[in-house]
Amino acid sequence: MDITWLGHAAFRIRSGASALFMDPFPPDLGLQIPPQLAQADVMTTSNTDAFHSALDSVESSVVLEGPGEYEAAGMHLRGVRTTRRTPEGQPQSWNTMFVAEIEGIVVCHLGNPDKLLTNRQVQELGSPHVLMVPAGSDTGISSADAVEIINSVEPKIVIPMLYAHGGNKATLRELSPFLREMGIRQPEAQARLTVNRSSVPDETQLVVLQPAATLL
């Protein structure tokens, strides 16, 4: 299984001939999803923000947008709802954390929650091997909260997302405060993560990926 980070909160996970795309963004973000990565069998969106739900940016036959249990393209997926910061006087916004089981590896994309997870929500996530964590969101959890969620979920691999990086026009924090909360130095970024059951580490490991999107 190969995991590619496009930038912002967008990931593409390839398993054999199947692909899952999570939280596609539009060119307005300042980045372009390469054509060879802009297709998938299944696509998930964690919330209705344009930078997380640009359905026109990726070609996919199945789109999942809310909580529930799903089977698609040989993958088992589960959506778990959390709240999302909402302007005063507006209807409550929601965030969906998606868990996908692929090749015996459980991957969880937290989306952009606005507070710590409840014990029930942590239980609903199960025991993901790989956790995509918002590390610099200006509308969601703090760096300290992100680390507390990691400690609660206890994944084997942590991949930070939603932090300031080249070309991204969104207002986001840098990655460094999150790294300080983790108590580690930034590891060398890699183009993609290839993982299978035999390569899952025994202890929690941070993996920083290079954004695969092209600059506009």
Side-chain angles (χ1 to χ4, degrees):
M1 180 175 71
D2 293 331
I3 301 175
T4 301
W5 181 47
L6 281 300
H8 204 61
F11 287 86
R12 188 176 188 269
I13 302 174
R14 184 181 62 82
S15 171
S18 299
L20 166 66
F21 203 106
M22 312 180 90
D23 278 25
F25 55 74
D28 294 352
L29 184 66
L31 301 167
Q32 180 73 49
I33 298 171
Q36 68 272 22
L37 299 178
Q39 55 258 327
D41 300 279
V42 183
M43 180 161 55
T44 64
T45 64
S46 62
N47 60 75
T48 57
D49 184 286
F51 289 165
H52 293 256
S53 59
L55 302 184
D56 292 340
S57 296
V58 175
E59 182 180 346
S60 178
S61 56
V62 178
V63 178
L64 307 177
E65 302 177 283
E69 299 274 345
Y70 307 95
E71 295 284 345
M75 307 174 197
H76 177 71
L77 299 103
R78 182 171 67 258
V80 179
R81 172 171 280 183
T82 73
T83 59
R84 188 164 182 268
R85 191 176 301 173
T86 306
E88 186 175 352
Q90 298 295 316
Q92 177 64 56
S93 296
W94 300 100
N95 175 73
T96 302
M97 305 180 293
F98 275 99
V99 180
E101 185 172 350
I102 308 167
E103 295 181 15
I105 300 292
V106 180
V107 178
C108 176
H109 186 294
L110 290 181
N112 191 19
D114 69 343
K115 61 185 67 174
L116 288 171
L117 305 185
T118 64
N119 290 336
R120 180 175 178 177
Q121 289 166 339
V122 171
Q123 291 173 356
E124 287 185 278
L125 294 184
S127 301
H129 300 97
V130 182
L131 186 67
M132 288 89 154
V133 179
S137 171
D138 68 327
T139 60
I141 56 175
S142 66
S143 298
D145 286 349
V147 173
E148 187 164 341
I149 289 174
I150 292 168
N151 292 336
S152 297
V153 176
E154 298 182 329
K156 297 304 183 183
I157 298 172
V158 174
I159 304 177
M161 62 175 180
L162 272 182
Y163 60 86
H165 60 86
N168 191 339
K169 294 181 179 179
T171 303
L172 298 167
R173 300 189 303 271
E174 300 290 336
L175 181 61
S176 52
F178 170 77
L179 295 175
R180 285 196 295 271
E181 289 289 343
M182 288 282 292
I184 61 175
R185 294 182 178 180
Q186 180 169 342
E188 183 176 353
Q190 54 193 69
R192 68 180 62 86
L193 172 65
T194 299
V195 62
N196 54 47
R197 287 300 298 268
S198 63
S199 66
V200 173
D202 293 328
E203 302 292 333
T204 299
Q205 180 182 89
L206 180 75
V207 174
V208 175
L209 296 179
Q210 302 166 358
T214 55
L215 303 181
L216 290 177

